[in-house]
Amino acid sequence: TTTEGTEALRTRVATRLADARARSVALTDAVDDDDLVRQHSRLMSPLVWDLAHIGNQEELWLVRDVGGREPVRCDIDNLYDAFQHPRADRPALPLLDPTEARHYVREVRDKVLDVLDRSPLEGRRLEADGFAFGMIVQHEQQHDETMLATHQLRSGPPVLTAEPPPPGLAPAAAEVFVPAGSFTMGTSLDPWALDNERPAHEVHVDAFHLDTTPVTNAAYAAFVDGGGYDDPRWWSDTGWAYRQKANLTAPRFWLRDGAGWLRDRFGVIEPIPPDEPVVHVCFHEALAYATWAGRRLPTEPEWEKAARYDPATGRSRRFPWGDEDPGPEHANLGQRHLSPAPVGAYPAGVSPSGVHQLIGDVWEWLDTGFTGYPGFEAFPYREYSEVFFGGDYKMLRGGSFGTDPAASRSTFRNWDHPIRRQIFAGFRCARDADPGERA
Ligand code: AVJ
Ligand code: FE
């Protein structure tokens, strides 16, 4: 934004706010009011909670904080504070009904557009105010992905439609070699980067091999059909205990069909495309597959180095393909398609190391817990990231077909419990360099 003029920034923020709202409206207008207030899974909020929560965060940070205006509704803050009420308890709260929630988010948005119009967006407050708008755009888009996951859990006839993903041709090489060396991880410059992505810092990464693509349904089916879910040798102790307790037998939303499998994708029962990245596996399943395959999961620094480091310049890029924002040719993002795309579908999005589909398609589980980078400072509130540090979480990187470009970049860090399967998560495998390859 140092080079972006104030009016260009204003227009960009307004466009991104409108994009996010169009998606929230599409996801909530797709179902009737009964469906909006229903809890489709104890793991998720009713869609109407997400909608009003989006409006409430927007009110807190943009109307009250940036705008310094009077509250729109100060009586509902507690209902929409995610820390006050676990998801399972939210349907029992005296929530705004669908009509009230729609009215509320419109009223907040009208005020926010007025705040945006009048904000100088320059000088002393540019950084803080510009970030607050970016944070709220990303917040709405993150909840739009969460709402898409709720749609996947919803039963009943399908209500969402989208173009099928483009075809792909699997890359010739199954893995790439990334030599040892340090690279710049995280960012201090990206104006919309969240606190946990900051600051930029140097990290040494030992030489390793990384899969050029995420693990496909076909590859994963070989693990399933080869008895992988019945053999504790492949599973960690906690993974096996969870596999037993939850009676896992295949990825979530796979359905037995004779000797084979079908999948339920947003209510459509269909054959499983063999060449698409597997999705809806938890961390424990990803790790068991990797162990079965004689490999391991990548670490978070390995993933980010493969996605950003350009050996020709020694610089870290914003995205695998360069610094420019994602276009439809680069990555499967933004709910343009309602599934991952086949491997090799985005040759224009390949990283300098030769790795495909690091951004989009499926979030990738990594064998790293959630901590702050050296020099981390909580901003603008501890509850965004810091309170989760050191908890029972594994990192996820790259975004999925359900993630908007506004909430996607190679520094973006996501995290979840290692048992979570309703998110759009898959993985790829890595392995250590052979002794002769370690420099
Ligand atoms: C970063 C995706 C884990 O959805 O819980 C939304 C994002 N934070 N509202 C989540 C978030 C507050 C967060 N994740
Ligand atoms: Fe939220």
Side-chain angles (χ1 to χ4, degrees):
T1 40
T2 41
T3 52
E4 187 178 32
T6 303
E7 289 320 304
L9 173 60
R10 220 185 288 284
T11 307
R12 186 161 66 93
V13 167
T15 305
R16 294 288 173 108
L17 282 168
D19 290 348
R21 185 52 47 86
R23 178 155 304 132
S24 305
V25 167
L27 289 164
T28 48
D29 282 359
V31 294
D32 62 26
D33 284 5
D34 285 347
D35 227 320
L36 280 180
V37 301
R38 185 172 303 147
Q39 186 166 50
H40 297 281
S41 156
R42 287 183 52 80
L43 295 173
M44 309 307 273
S45 318
L47 291 166
V48 77
W49 186 92
D50 284 278
L51 183 64
H53 166 81
I54 285 167
N56 185 241
Q57 289 286 304
E58 187 169 319
E59 171 180 359
L60 289 174
W61 293 102
L62 297 180
V63 177
R64 296 190 212 168
D65 200 60
V66 172
R69 310 271 176 101
E70 287 302 305
V72 181
R73 291 207 46 170
C74 55
D75 54 321
I76 59 171
D77 290 355
N78 171 287
L79 293 175
Y80 297 103
D81 179 343
F83 287 87
Q84 296 297 320
H85 311 283
R87 284 178 174 177
D89 298 351
R90 291 174 192 168
L93 299 170
L95 301 176
L96 300 187
D97 70 27
T99 305
E100 291 167 336
R102 288 182 170 117
H103 176 81
Y104 173 59
V105 300
R106 269 199 297 267
E107 199 180 340
V108 170
R109 177 57 57 88
D110 286 347
K111 293 206 166 29
V112 162
L113 294 178
D114 191 56
V115 168
L116 178 62
D117 265 349
R118 290 162 197 259
S119 162
L121 281 181
E122 57 192 14
R124 203 168 45 85
R125 295 213 33 133
L126 169 63
E127 210 183 322
D129 291 359
F131 174 83
F133 281 105
M135 178 182 78
I136 287 303
V137 165
Q138 293 177 76
H139 181 259
E140 181 158 0
Q141 290 286 7
Q142 287 176 316
H143 277 274
D144 288 345
E145 180 166 356
T146 300
M147 288 198 280
L148 189 68
T150 305
H151 269 272
Q152 173 64 52
L153 285 158
R154 172 185 166 271
S155 48
V159 294
L160 299 177
T161 53
E163 289 290 303
L169 190 63
E175 58 176 21
V176 298
F177 176 68
V178 181
S182 72
F183 84 108
T184 304
M185 186 169 182
T187 176
S188 302
L189 295 177
D190 205 308
W192 282 15
L194 301 166
D195 60 358
N196 62 50
E197 299 166 68
R198 302 167 186 267
H201 59 291
E202 289 295 298
V203 175
H204 175 85
V205 181
D206 286 340
F208 68 105
H209 297 264
L210 185 67
D211 286 357
T212 49
T213 71
V215 170
T216 63
N217 286 318
Y220 198 84
F223 170 64
V224 175
D225 296 336
Y229 279 71
D230 299 319
D231 193 334
R233 277 183 302 163
W234 313 132
W235 300 71
S236 69
D237 291 346
T238 43
W240 183 252
Y242 184 67
R243 177 259 168 262
Q244 296 293 78
K245 178 173 163 245
N247 194 24
L248 306 184
T249 55
R252 180 115 208 222
F253 307 114
W254 282 29
L255 307 167
R256 252 289 165 224
D257 178 47
W261 298 95
L262 296 170
R263 70 174 179 186
D264 173 351
R265 194 180 48 84
F266 300 104
V268 179
I269 311 298
E270 59 182 23
I272 298 173
D275 53 352
E276 277 181 19
V278 68
V279 60
H280 297 302
V281 288
C282 68
F283 171 84
H284 297 306
E285 291 167 288
L287 183 58
Y289 173 95
T291 308
W292 168 80
R295 304 167 65 81
R296 62 174 173 81
L297 294 178
T299 65
E300 194 180 24
E302 286 173 340
W303 188 96
E304 188 168 323
K305 186 176 182 184
R308 301 184 65 200
Y309 180 68
D310 178 4
T313 62
R315 209 178 64 81
S316 286
R317 302 167 159 196
R318 276 183 78 214
F319 289 100
W321 53 86
D323 292 333
E324 77 265 34
D325 287 343
E329 72 281 20
H330 292 125
N332 182 5
L333 291 167
Q335 306 186 13
R336 284 197 313 277
H337 314 295
L338 290 173
S339 74
V343 294
Y346 295 95
V350 78
S351 81
S353 313
V355 185
H356 289 245
Q357 285 158 300
L358 286 153
I359 298 293
D361 295 300
V362 289
W363 288 101
E364 300 183 21
W365 284 113
L366 300 170
D367 200 357
T368 301
F370 192 23
T371 52
Y373 293 154
F376 170 84
E377 286 179 56
F379 185 77
Y381 61 120
R382 283 189 70 242
E383 285 73 20
Y384 185 78
S385 316
E386 194 179 12
V387 296
F388 301 100
F389 290 169
D392 179 30
Y393 301 104
K394 291 292 183 183
M395 302 315 287
L396 294 144
R397 288 297 204 98
S400 76
F401 63 89
T403 310
D404 191 79
S408 162
R409 51 197 167 264
S410 299
T411 56
F412 191 96
R413 307 175 77 199
N414 192 7
W415 65 95
D416 214 328
H417 294 295
I419 62 171
R420 286 288 179 256
R421 312 171 82 210
Q422 86 279 9
I423 54 176
F424 304 111
F427 64 103
R428 73 180 74 218
C429 295
R431 65 182 174 94
D432 294 348
D434 302 325
E437 295 172 329
R438 291 184 201 141

